[in-house]
Amino acid sequence: MTGEPAAALRSVEEHLARVLAAARRVETVETSMDAAHGRTLAEPVRAHVDIPVFDNSAMDGFAVRFADVAHARPDAPVHLTVVADLPAGTALDPALSPGQAARIMTGSPVPADADAIVPFEDTAGGLADSLGEIAVLAAPRGIGAHIRRAGEDARVGAELLPAGIRLGALQLSAAAAAGVDRVRVARPPRVAVVSTGSELVPPGEPLSRGQIPESNSRLLAELCAEAGAEVVLRMTVSDDGDGPARAVAEARALRADAVVFSGGVSAGAYEVVKTALADAMEFSKIAMQPGKPQGFGVLDDGTLLFGLPGNPVSAAVSFEVFVRPALLTMQGRSTTGRPLLRLAAATGWRTPPERRQYLPLVLDRSDPAHWRAVPATAGGSHLPGGLGRAEAYAIVPAEIDAVRTGDVVDVMLIT
């Protein structure tokens, strides 16, 4: 079999370009740091205070004048008088005359008269004998030794975080360290998820002949949430009637920015999305496997309509390739693609003729220097169990007729 002529298929890039051209940016809002996790930053974060805020000690020890201890060594210790004790959080700035030192803890402000820190371990008595008089046994490496300088990480007004990034734990921590308590972020896109199929039954309910547990709405709702969207509607409709049109009406009432359908978009006799939304959506064949049948449309208010295939792997891949980039674009994300690796295939597998393949993978990490790509499923688009093991997708170009053991393939990480 040679499959469908390539000329009859739209490329992945062509379909994605159409989707992204229609994806409108959502509004931005100012929010507290507590509510910002996972959101997309809409404006750069600039430091409100220096990082560090002040010169502070990098060690537990003694703040000293370097000139006093420059020649200290075990056989010629330098004796200093401790005139102050500086715990973290102190506001003291004691004067230090020649021959004097201040006991200081990590993070404490360095006295203005000090220009180096001697760690406890470089003194004769260490912490146990750290008040009164001390004997310094080793000179610091120079002026500024063990001192963290104010502003060495960031100065007031410096751009700390660029717009367009996802705010995770590390980014929010950096902003907090710079004295920032509020940020401007993109509103989460509101999405309605609609699964179609008369055979679908809620998980856990008894199954009659021909029925299966419904899983696509869970799959797509969670993928939307992982992409920073808010799922405002999740429902299932049968293969007859006007369920998709009713779902769109309900989604619009909830001010959804996008509606994602699964199922009902192929070439069968009961393709309910095709039938109910023929005037609102265009249905195309894309040169990819899985995910060849795709539907897409834009309502007059800008709401995006996605019609994804009903098989679970097809729905997951289609979301990854088309819906996720659209949701990230709507939020102003600077990068919408996933990280890519080049890995050797642990085993061979078949590829479809004249279509780009997206194959779920697990990663063999048994040799940390040479990860390998292992198929997570037998290749069928109807196998959600294997999909649950997937950590990545192999992306195999249409011109490759087969992947053989040891071939290097593009791998898109999804976890």
Side-chain angles (χ1 to χ4, degrees):
M1 288 183 61
T2 59
E4 196 151 359
L9 304 179
R10 176 179 290 173
S11 73
V12 171
E13 288 76 17
E14 288 172 334
H15 191 68
L16 178 60
R18 180 165 180 257
V19 167
L20 296 184
R24 302 182 308 176
R25 290 281 292 271
V26 297
E27 316 91 74
T28 64
V29 295
E30 187 179 274
T31 188
S32 69
M33 302 284 277
D34 289 341
H37 186 268
R39 306 285 282 275
T40 298
L41 188 60
E43 294 180 354
V45 168
R46 299 186 178 278
H48 290 185
V49 300
D50 288 344
I51 306 176
V53 178
F54 46 80
D55 291 356
N56 68 90
S57 178
M59 302 289 288
D60 296 327
F62 301 94
V64 301
R65 304 164 70 103
F66 178 75
D68 287 343
V69 297
H71 303 292
R73 58 183 191 273
D75 61 346
V78 172
H79 295 272
L80 301 175
T81 302
V82 178
V83 297
D85 190 15
L86 304 175
T90 184
L92 297 176
D93 184 8
L96 298 181
S97 300
Q100 294 182 334
R103 188 170 78 163
I104 193 167
M105 301 300 138
T106 300
S108 302
V110 176
D113 290 338
D115 56 10
I117 305 295
V118 173
F120 283 136
E121 51 266 38
D122 289 339
T123 65
L127 176 63
D129 186 23
S130 55
L131 296 174
E133 185 178 278
I134 60 169
V136 178
L137 305 178
R141 65 178 181 274
I143 291 174
H146 304 304
I147 295 177
R148 304 160 173 163
R149 293 300 184 187
E152 67 181 10
D153 192 18
R155 288 289 186 185
V156 171
E159 183 177 305
L160 200 63
L161 301 171
I165 66 168
R166 178 184 180 276
L167 292 171
L170 303 184
Q171 293 73 36
L172 291 171
S173 172
V180 176
D181 63 339
R182 298 186 69 80
V183 290
R184 181 160 286 276
V185 297
R187 167 182 64 77
R190 292 183 287 267
V191 182
V193 172
V194 185
S195 193
T196 72
S198 298
E199 77 279 14
L200 303 178
V201 175
E205 291 194 6
L207 300 176
S208 299
R209 180 176 171 80
Q211 294 182 323
I212 62 173
E214 195 281 312
S215 62
N216 275 357
S217 70
R218 171 67 63 190
L219 165 71
L220 294 171
E222 300 302 342
L223 288 173
C224 286
E226 289 177 3
E230 176 190 2
V231 177
V232 296
L233 174 66
R234 179 178 157 212
M235 63 186 296
T236 301
V237 300
S238 68
D239 284 331
D240 49 30
D242 61 351
R246 287 186 288 104
V248 169
E250 189 170 344
R252 295 183 78 169
L254 295 169
R255 297 182 297 121
D257 301 293
V259 183
V260 182
F261 292 96
S262 64
V265 300
S266 192
Y270 302 97
E271 305 299 336
V272 65
V273 176
K274 256 187 174 181
T275 301
L277 299 175
D279 293 337
M281 300 176 70
E282 177 187 0
F283 297 90
S284 308
K285 296 177 181 179
I286 312 300
M288 61 189 286
Q289 184 205 54
K292 183 173 73 170
Q294 295 287 329
F296 181 70
V298 186
L299 299 180
D300 54 9
D301 62 358
T303 304
L304 304 184
L305 303 179
F306 292 92
L308 312 185
N311 281 325
V313 180
S314 299
V317 168
S318 299
F319 182 94
E320 189 66 43
V321 177
F322 302 120
V323 184
R324 181 178 183 273
L327 295 178
L328 297 184
T329 297
M330 294 166 76
Q331 296 168 75
R333 193 74 65 85
S334 54
T335 301
T336 61
R338 295 280 201 179
L340 290 175
L341 301 177
R342 297 270 292 163
L343 300 179
T347 186
W349 63 79
R350 297 172 57 189
T351 61
E354 300 180 330
R355 286 192 284 163
R356 181 183 301 169
Q357 183 184 49
Y358 293 83
L359 183 72
L361 298 175
V362 294
L363 304 180
D364 176 2
R365 300 177 173 85
S366 56
D367 181 350
H370 300 94
W371 289 9
R372 298 192 303 164
V374 182
T377 74
S381 61
H382 61 295
L383 302 174
L387 183 64
R389 296 187 289 271
E391 304 171 271
Y393 293 113
I395 305 176
V396 184
E399 60 269 20
I400 301 297
D401 58 4
V403 172
R404 296 166 180 82
T405 301
D407 286 354
V408 175
V409 295
D410 288 332
V411 173
M412 177 173 63
L413 300 179
I414 59 172
T415 59

